[in-house]
């Protein structure tokens, strides 16, 4: 199913033409921003220097830090009277940055969301509960207006009061939900405690943070849904940048709206398809806040195989941010690796916390994880055995010794938005 069939089925040559036309327009737009005037002058780039799509490599990258230095409105390319809304990033990795939208931007953005939802078979007959923060976070209003554009019945439930959320799903015959995978895990626990069936649910959209195939399986089983991965970031409008199709093997990234490169984060050079690197994006339809070669910090790769449903290369699910990586005693660890190990052990639950300390100059990692009462009966001797098992599996996967603490079900924090599962208590970090 297509939302905008013409643009979603462009032939490769037509797509390239459109991309180049839009790139030139974006470059012109960027010339209204002081930062870009300096950057382009410094690199000796004039509008005429960009003749092909490949010429984009002459332009230096833009980093999150650059946006921070332009706080709050330094990157706006239009007068304030043309700005009809601002949002901010969640600030996961530092001070939030501000993003602005013109009317055209809001229209383009909601169109992308409508495309994504239509791609997975969602229609105006669906009832949609949007269980994310409706404030400065782009996930709330972003999905809201995209879903309204389709004509779905939208329930702007936002976050919090999980029991009430479940009642609304039941009372309003909700078919489609959107939330973070962490919140979905919590929702499924509370529904189980309440003995609430969620029979009307069909489709779940999860995004805003990394999640794994094992999490998908768990959530699909517990909620009785088909789950799709949704990727986006505030600097690129918000959600809607890339989305899984019914194949659920990689995400379609919308090449008419985003020019994609994957680079080696260390030297900035392009990597081959099928090789992991940092996603760099030049948005092609942004008016209020054009960006050139924006380094997302997110790690993914372009997939070599195409898809039956749409043209253009897909990206694999985001495994994390290049700066999510923890370095513990010199060993690189991604929190997603820890999650993956724990989900593979039935006797422990899905909730965990990681603490990192420096004790006698040595990094120590402690993992608190809840016991799963369904698969664990609780004799003291069994407890010691289970703890050893978790330590061993983590050591095998991470090549790192950790301390594991088994805790009571329900005792670790639950998250309504993006989860914060790692607490680094090392001095100076
Ligand atoms: P912040 O960057 O401060 O968290 P945003 O709310 O704009 O603010 O979040 C965008 C970031 O969220 C992305 O750069 C990415 O790291 C993460 N993210 C969003 N969607 C996904 C997803 N489906 N999988 C993995 N990470 C995601
Ligand atoms: K409707
Ligand atoms: Zn597809």
């Amino acid at each position: 199913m297509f939302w905008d069939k013409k643009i979603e089925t462009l032939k490769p040559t037509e797509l390239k033409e459109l991309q180049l036309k839009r790139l030139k327009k974006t470059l012109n737009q960027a010339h209204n921003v002081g930062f870009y005037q300096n950057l382009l002058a410094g690199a000796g780039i004039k509008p005429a220097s960009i003749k092909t799509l490949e010429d984009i490599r002459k332009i230096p990258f833009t980093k999150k830090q650059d946006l921070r230095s332009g706080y709050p409105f330094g990157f706006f390319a239009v007068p304030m009277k043309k700005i009809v809304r601002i949002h901010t990033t969640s600030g996961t990795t530092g001070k939030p940055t501000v993003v602005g939208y013109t009317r055209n931007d809001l229209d383009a953005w909601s169109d992308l969301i409508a495309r994504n939802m239509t791609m997975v078979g969602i229609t105006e007959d669906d009832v949609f509960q949007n269980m994310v923060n409706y404030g400065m976070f782009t996930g709330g209003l972003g999905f809201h207006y995209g879903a309204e554009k389709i004509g779905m019945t939208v329930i702007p439930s936002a976050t919090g009061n999980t029991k009430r959320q479940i009642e609304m799903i039941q009372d309003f015959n909700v078919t489609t939900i959107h939330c973070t995978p962490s919140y979905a895990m919590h929702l499924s626990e509370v529904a189980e405690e309440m003995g609430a069936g969620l029979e009307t649910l069909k489709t779940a959209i999860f995004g805003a943070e990394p999640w794994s195939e094992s999490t998908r399986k768990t959530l699909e089983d517990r909620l009785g849904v088909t789950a799709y991965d949704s990727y986006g970031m505030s600097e690129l409008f918000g959600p809607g940048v890339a989305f899984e199709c019914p194949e659920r093997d990689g995400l379609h990234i919308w090449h008419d709206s985003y020019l994609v490169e994957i680079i080696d984060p260390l030297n900035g050079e392009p990597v081959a398809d099928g090789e992991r690197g940092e996603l760099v994006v030049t948005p092609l339809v942004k008016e209020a806040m054009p960006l050139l070669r924006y380094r997302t910090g997110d790690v993914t790769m372009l997939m070599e195989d195409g898809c039956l449903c749409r043209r253009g290369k897909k990206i694999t699910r985001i495994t994390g941010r290049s700066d999510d990586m923890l370095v513990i005693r010199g060993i690189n660890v991604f929190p997603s690796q820890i999650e993956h190990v724990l989900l593979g052990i039935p006797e422990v639950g899905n909730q965990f916390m990681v603490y990192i300390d420096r004790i006698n100059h040595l990094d120590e990692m402690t993992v608190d994880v809840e016991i799963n009462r369904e698969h664990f009966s609780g004799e003291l001797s069994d407890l010691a055995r289970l703890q050893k098992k978790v330590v061993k599996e983590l050591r095998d996967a991470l090549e790192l010794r950790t301390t594991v603490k088994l805790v009571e079900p329900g005792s670790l924090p639950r998250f309504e938005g993006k989860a914060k599962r790692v607490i680094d208590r090392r001095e100076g970090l």
Side-chain angles (χ1 to χ4, degrees):
M1 274 207 279
F2 297 97
W3 172 253
D4 185 345
K5 184 151 188 193
K6 186 160 173 277
I7 209 111
E8 291 177 60
T9 56
L10 283 181
K11 296 199 185 73
T13 50
E14 294 170 327
L15 176 66
K16 274 200 162 172
E17 243 169 68
L18 181 66
Q19 285 176 318
L20 187 60
K21 194 176 113 200
R22 287 180 168 176
L23 175 61
K24 287 179 177 168
K25 199 171 161 201
T26 300
L27 206 64
N28 273 333
Q29 194 67 0
H31 269 102
N32 298 331
V33 177
F35 171 85
Y36 280 124
Q37 283 166 9
N38 294 336
L39 184 98
L40 295 169
I45 294 167
K46 303 205 174 65
S49 322
I50 304 295
K51 296 198 179 63
T52 68
L53 289 172
E54 285 67 39
D55 287 338
I56 197 178
R57 290 206 201 127
K58 297 177 187 163
I59 304 173
F61 296 114
T62 305
K63 303 204 181 83
K64 219 175 234 295
Q65 194 50 47
D66 299 324
L67 296 190
R68 287 196 182 120
S69 66
Y71 184 91
F73 303 146
F75 273 78
F76 288 2
V78 297
M80 278 313 272
K81 68 174 177 215
K82 294 280 175 202
I83 302 276
V84 295
R85 197 195 300 163
I86 62 172
H87 279 285
T88 58
T89 60
S90 305
T92 309
T93 56
K95 190 178 162 90
T97 54
V98 179
V99 293
Y101 306 78
T102 62
R103 267 184 216 293
N104 287 336
D105 286 332
L106 291 182
D107 203 38
W109 181 23
S110 53
D111 237 58
L112 286 170
I113 304 261
R115 249 192 237 184
N116 293 325
M117 293 176 102
T118 305
M119 178 168 68
V120 298
I122 298 168
T123 71
E124 61 188 353
D125 292 324
D126 282 293
V127 181
F128 176 57
Q129 191 158 316
N130 196 19
M131 299 185 285
V132 294
N133 177 328
Y134 260 69
M136 300 311 283
F137 176 59
T138 49
L141 291 180
F143 262 93
H144 182 96
Y145 287 112
E148 275 192 355
K149 209 171 207 181
I150 293 179
M152 302 175 77
T153 307
V154 182
I155 303 164
S157 68
T159 54
N161 201 344
T162 306
K163 284 201 170 118
R164 181 71 191 123
Q165 299 270 8
I166 289 165
E167 284 163 10
M168 286 197 283
I169 292 174
Q170 294 178 312
D171 296 348
F172 304 153
N173 296 324
V174 171
T175 63
T176 309
I177 55 170
H178 169 230
C179 60
T180 63
S182 318
Y183 187 64
M185 204 61 100
H186 178 51
L187 185 86
S188 72
E189 286 177 343
V190 176
E192 258 164 36
E193 275 165 27
M194 290 166 68
L198 300 173
E199 291 81 9
T200 55
L201 284 187
K202 287 188 308 199
T203 307
I205 298 162
F206 299 137
E209 61 183 5
W211 53 301
S212 60
E213 272 312 300
S214 23
T215 303
R216 168 160 23 220
K217 183 147 192 337
T218 308
L219 288 174
E220 288 192 335
D221 288 351
R222 287 183 159 197
L223 295 170
V225 293
T226 306
Y228 297 94
D229 189 14
S230 154
Y231 168 77
M233 70 191 310
S234 311
E235 297 93 315
L236 308 177
F237 281 155
V241 177
F243 208 87
E244 278 181 337
C245 68
E247 299 287 319
R248 296 191 301 151
D249 174 27
L251 291 81
H252 285 284
I253 184 155
W254 299 106
H255 297 282
D256 65 288
S257 305
Y258 300 103
L259 200 58
V260 176
E261 300 170 77
I262 310 278
I263 61 158
D264 177 338
L266 296 178
N267 59 23
E269 290 299 315
V271 303
D273 293 356
E275 263 179 53
R276 217 168 270 288
E278 179 177 341
L279 177 68
V280 171
V281 178
T282 305
L284 296 174
V285 291
K286 285 187 77 197
E287 200 172 60
M289 201 175 143
L291 292 171
L292 303 175
R293 302 191 85 199
Y294 188 63
R295 289 189 60 159
T296 64
D298 291 324
V299 180
T300 182
M301 63 169 109
L302 277 170
M303 293 171 69
E304 288 157 309
D305 293 336
C307 192
L308 291 175
C309 88
R310 267 161 190 76
R311 290 199 178 95
K313 283 175 190 154
K314 291 190 282 192
I315 56 171
T316 55
R317 56 165 68 238
I318 308 287
T319 38
R321 305 192 200 229
S322 35
D323 49 9
D324 255 357
M325 193 180 71
L326 301 163
V327 183
I328 315 245
R329 273 176 263 146
I331 295 171
N332 299 345
V333 179
F334 278 100
S336 56
Q337 289 176 290
I338 300 171
E339 182 194 24
H340 188 73
V341 169
L342 297 177
L343 282 171
I345 307 173
E347 297 97 321
V348 298
N350 311 301
Q351 302 289 343
F352 67 96
M353 286 294 295
V354 179
Y355 300 93
I356 302 156
D357 295 286
R358 185 160 290 158
I359 299 168
N360 297 330
H361 309 290
L362 266 188
D363 297 334
E364 297 290 343
M365 186 164 89
T366 308
V367 179
D368 287 9
V369 60
E370 291 180 2
I371 295 165
N372 181 354
R373 284 280 174 222
E374 270 171 44
H375 292 96
F376 184 77
S377 54
E379 294 283 322
L380 210 55
S381 56
D382 297 339
L383 212 59
R385 207 175 312 133
L386 175 58
Q387 192 208 20
K388 271 199 188 138
K389 177 174 165 180
V390 179
V391 169
K392 177 174 184 307
E393 300 222 356
L394 283 172
R395 185 176 355 97
D396 289 350
L398 311 177
E399 293 173 25
L400 194 73
R401 177 178 44 76
T402 55
T403 304
V404 169
K405 272 203 244 157
L406 299 173
V407 301
E408 276 302 315
S411 62
L412 292 178
R414 267 46 176 177
F415 301 93
E416 293 181 344
K418 291 175 196 262
K420 277 203 169 64
R421 298 193 194 281
V422 179
I423 299 187
D424 200 334
R425 297 185 286 211
R426 289 175 289 187
E427 293 264 321
L429 283 169

